[in-house]
Amino acid sequence: MSTVKSARTDKAGTRLTIPIAALAFVIALAVQFVGQAKIDLGIGAIIIFPMVWGLILGLLVSIQKFKPLGIDLQRVAAALVGVAVLLLVARLAFNIGPSLPTLLKAGPALLLQEVGHLLGTIVLALPLAVLLRMGKATVGATFSLDREPSFAMVSEKYGPDSDQYRGVLAMYVFGTLFGAVFITLLTSLVANWKIFDPLALAMGAGVGSGSMMAASVASITAAYPGDQDAILGMAAVSNLITTVLGVYVGIYVSLPLADKFYRVLTRKQKNRQVVAAGAGAGSAPASAADAEREAAQAEENRRFRERVAESSAAIKLPLWLSLSVLTVLGIGTASIAAKGFSLTIVLGYMVLLALVLVGIALAKVTRKISAIVFVTTIGAYISSPWFFGAEALNAAVKTVDFLSIATVMLTLAGLSLGKDIPLLKNIGWKIIPVGLVAITASFLLSTVIAEFALGLWH
């Protein structure tokens, strides 16, 4: 075992990057060429997009045993996903600028609907987790959709070996493996009911995860193709607000509220346990047994945390290499989406690359603000009517289909998931219904609030 761990690297170059890039290139171009499939379910229709095919095929490649995909190759794929998210955000930023009048008309609805994202999981998923007797892990699993920022919040409050932290890790693993696929099916079904304003659906799509937002928006734009620009712009802004506010609301509102709600719902259960403990003889042996169980659970939580940390350990790639690989993949998929190669697509990618580089540079200088914030803000400005070169920039970038970038991103994500599959046996079956309800609650509650808020504001 020690030799395997010592062989793992924290940096990668072309030797590890080129093979995974070649695999992603073949898969992404193949699924982009196949296109989307529509399935009628009677109560509505769902659309399976190339990015979902790419995610599934990538996953199958990463778990097959014929020629196993090495763990370091999967970590390289995960590192490329992180940079691909910036490219996707840059592309979406060019839908914010031209849609600013529409965004302003949305008024307070854009902020009010965030209540659904930030508290929806507590309202529905937490009671279900209590019903399923998930224990204290309920708090960590349901106070948010549990992406990376949630780790620090729960670890600081409860400790890294706590049941609450185990809940965060379980939801993180679930969202990583199933989030994008499930929310694609969910939003495709809901959008095709045609009962919600497309802008309300777009706000609901901003759940705080780049991959889930991209997957969700694809379904909405397919149902409302005439409103694509406004939908993309609204979803990007909503996702940014959820990401930025999520940290502060999580610390000061969501986490304390989830803890309080959990205590209220389990109060009778705790009272019964206290009565039973008082009625039984030999309280000292009982308390010693409880302490032993808690110690054993803490040790199991520690081992689970270490497995997740090992699976998600970052690997560093040279920025020039990451961007070069993603540009080649992106131009290939964008050309298939556009049904032909053009130099305008290349020019569009050059604009996106420049924007990403500026955003990364500013993030390094400030050390306080994420590159995503800079990329979104600058991209929205230079694509708005207030910037002198907006028309030329928009014309170039619009030739790059945002779904083609999402296809590349989710294909790479699929190729990185094989290392996470063994974690399924550690998270237990209960996180599956809780995770599905959490994602559904976040999207639907936010959409319903946005629908009513838009009606009142307009």
Side-chain angles (χ1 to χ4, degrees), residues 300-375:
E300 175 60 29
N301 292 343
R302 183 189 64 79
R303 287 198 294 267
F304 179 44
R305 171 170 55 86
E306 289 176 350
R307 292 187 198 105
V308 174
E310 184 179 3
S311 173
S312 59
I315 192 169
K316 292 182 180 179
L317 298 178
L319 185 59
W320 69 266
L321 182 58
S322 299
L323 291 177
S324 298
V325 165
L326 292 171
T327 300
V328 173
L329 291 172
I331 291 175
T333 53
S335 297
I336 293 177
K339 295 183 170 55
F341 171 80
S342 73
L343 290 177
T344 315
I345 293 175
V346 178
L347 180 59
Y349 255 93
M350 293 304 105
V351 174
L352 295 178
L353 289 175
L355 178 56
V356 167
L357 287 171
V358 170
I360 291 174
L362 290 174
K364 286 184 177 179
V365 170
T366 61
R367 297 185 180 180
K368 296 286 185 180
I369 303 175
S370 167
I372 288 178
V373 176
F374 284 117
V375 170

Side-chain angles (χ1 to χ4, degrees), residues 37-48 188-189 192-193:
K38 188 173 183 178
I39 303 172
D40 192 349
L41 299 178
I43 59 171
I46 59 173
I47 299 175
I48 311 296
S188 183
L189 184 65
N192 279 287
W193 289 344

Side-chain angles (χ1 to χ4, degrees), residues 177-418:
L177 292 171
F178 305 113
V181 173
F182 175 69
I183 202 167
T184 299
L185 303 179
L186 173 66
T187 51
S188 183
L189 184 65
V190 174
N192 279 287
W193 289 344
K194 299 295 179 76
I195 60 175
F196 291 112
D197 188 306
L199 296 184
L201 291 167
M203 293 184 207
V207 294
S209 163
S211 59
M212 284 197 275
M213 184 267 289
S216 185
V217 165
S219 300
I220 301 168
T221 55
Y224 298 93
D227 298 306
Q228 176 171 312
D229 288 348
I231 291 169
L232 295 179
M234 189 70 76
V237 172
S238 175
N239 202 63
L240 180 63
I241 293 173
T242 303
T243 302
V244 174
L245 290 184
V247 175
Y248 302 101
V249 175
I251 294 172
Y252 298 112
V253 180
S254 299
L255 189 55
L257 181 62
D259 188 84
K260 182 74 173 177
F261 194 24
Y262 171 75
R263 291 176 187 274
V264 169
L265 292 180
T266 58
R267 184 172 51 201
K268 291 183 179 179
Q269 180 183 339
K270 288 180 181 177
N271 289 339
R272 286 195 296 269
Q273 291 173 348
V274 169
V275 171
S283 59
S287 62
D290 289 341
E292 189 175 332
R293 276 196 302 270
E294 288 180 5
Q297 184 61 56
E299 176 62 21
E300 175 60 29
N301 292 343
R302 183 189 64 79
R303 287 198 294 267
F304 179 44
R305 171 170 55 86
E306 289 176 350
R307 292 187 198 105
V308 174
E310 184 179 3
S311 173
S312 59
I315 192 169
K316 292 182 180 179
L317 298 178
L319 185 59
W320 69 266
L321 182 58
S322 299
L323 291 177
S324 298
V325 165
L326 292 171
T327 300
V328 173
L329 291 172
I331 291 175
T333 53
S335 297
I336 293 177
K339 295 183 170 55
F341 171 80
S342 73
L343 290 177
T344 315
I345 293 175
V346 178
L347 180 59
Y349 255 93
M350 293 304 105
V351 174
L352 295 178
L353 289 175
L355 178 56
V356 167
L357 287 171
V358 170
I360 291 174
L362 290 174
K364 286 184 177 179
V365 170
T366 61
R367 297 185 180 180
K368 296 286 185 180
I369 303 175
S370 167
I372 288 178
V373 176
F374 284 117
V375 170
T376 304
T377 305
I378 297 171
Y381 171 67
I382 63 176
S383 63
S384 72
W386 305 314
F387 185 69
F388 69 93
E391 187 175 348
L393 292 175
N394 285 330
V397 173
K398 286 292 176 67
T399 60
V400 178
D401 180 25
F402 97 96
L403 286 178
S404 67
I405 303 178
T407 298
V408 170
M409 182 178 73
L410 289 186
T411 298
L412 288 164
L415 289 170
S416 73
L417 290 181

